[in-house]
Amino acid sequence: MSSVTCHMSVSLDGFVAGRNQSVEDPIGEGGMRLHQWAFATASWRAQQGLEGGERSADSEVVDEVARGVGAYIMGRNMFGGGDGPWDPTWTGWWGEDPPFHAPVFVLTHHPREQLPMDGGTTFSFVTDGIESALEQARTEAGDRDVAIAGGANAVRQYLRAGVLDELYLHVVPIVLGGGERLLEDVGDPALEPVKVVASPAVTHVKYRVVHEKRR
């Protein structure tokens, strides 16, 4: 069975988004600072169809986290468009060619027709829970991994459910002072560090999530 993985940039004080998230400022105040390390890399720019950028340890990590992913799951807030019934003109933050290039399952309480995009990305909207989304994503992924793309609430749900196999944190040396915490109300998961990659911009720590049956 494929692995369920997640990678997230996080501040030193544990936040993956700043205060006052909104449609206009989806990552909250100061939240974009969490991702500057990736924006500077050649790998991230190539994934967006851009040239330039730095070839570095951080660039290799960007390549690593995209490798072997066959399907994605994300929460309603990460896909965006506000709360409540869908605005059919909203197709996500990423334009006509989103960077996923794979099936993406969006957790929501409001039904919506499947949304095919350029580049092989198709958004499917799942209203019957995280288990259904994971089952559908695994079917599409085959022997490739399923990545929980965010936001924090979606990651917490899968971590609490005990089905997340790997958590790769990109620890950025900033303090946001408030916002949305990643590891809040998740119980006491056993996280085993298996890899650390350090650069001047960020420290990448990969954890294996040790499930009860493995202990």
Side-chain angles (χ1 to χ4, degrees):
M1 184 178 292
S2 59
S3 294
V4 182
T5 69
C6 173
H7 76 97
M8 299 282 281
S9 291
V10 60
S11 68
L12 287 176
D13 50 347
F15 296 100
V16 294
R19 294 186 176 97
N20 301 318
Q21 296 175 71
S22 66
V23 174
E24 294 75 24
D25 192 4
I27 314 180
E29 297 170 3
M32 196 62 70
R33 298 163 63 199
L34 291 168
H35 305 284
Q36 294 300 326
W37 69 268
F39 300 156
T41 66
S43 297
W44 183 88
R45 293 182 63 82
Q47 290 173 11
Q48 315 307 311
L50 304 172
E51 298 181 352
E54 302 171 0
R55 283 288 174 193
S56 62
D58 295 334
S59 190
E60 292 175 5
V61 168
V62 172
D63 281 335
E64 178 186 358
V65 296
R67 191 180 303 126
V69 177
Y72 294 86
I73 297 171
M74 67 175 60
R76 166 74 186 261
N77 287 345
M78 182 167 176
F79 183 79
D83 297 327
W86 288 102
D87 173 358
T89 66
W90 180 263
T91 58
W93 310 101
W94 306 279
E96 293 299 315
D97 186 5
F100 305 101
H101 310 298
V104 180
F105 296 87
V106 181
L107 302 167
T108 177
H109 297 295
H110 298 276
R112 182 174 179 177
E113 293 294 320
Q114 195 174 69
L115 181 62
M117 306 291 286
D118 293 344
T121 299
T122 297
F123 294 106
S124 298
F125 301 90
V126 181
T127 59
D128 53 348
I130 64 170
E131 295 86 359
S132 174
L134 181 55
E135 182 179 355
Q136 293 178 62
R138 278 184 158 147
T139 297
E140 291 293 331
D143 59 357
R144 307 185 80 194
D145 292 341
V146 173
I148 312 301
N153 186 42
V155 177
R156 288 194 295 264
Q157 289 184 70
Y158 282 102
L159 189 54
R160 284 196 300 267
V163 294
L164 192 67
D165 298 304
E166 180 182 286
L167 180 62
Y168 206 165
L169 297 182
H170 315 296
V171 185
V172 183
I174 63 172
V175 175
L176 289 178
E180 186 163 18
R181 289 192 184 277
L182 178 62
L183 299 177
E184 184 173 71
D185 189 27
V186 293
D188 183 22
L191 304 178
E192 176 184 293
V194 295
K195 182 177 182 179
V196 178
V197 178
S199 81
V202 59
T203 302
H204 312 276
V205 186
K206 181 188 290 188
Y207 295 94
R208 183 174 70 95
V209 183
V210 183
H211 301 297
E212 287 292 338
K213 63 185 179 181
R214 299 178 185 168
R215 298 187 193 181

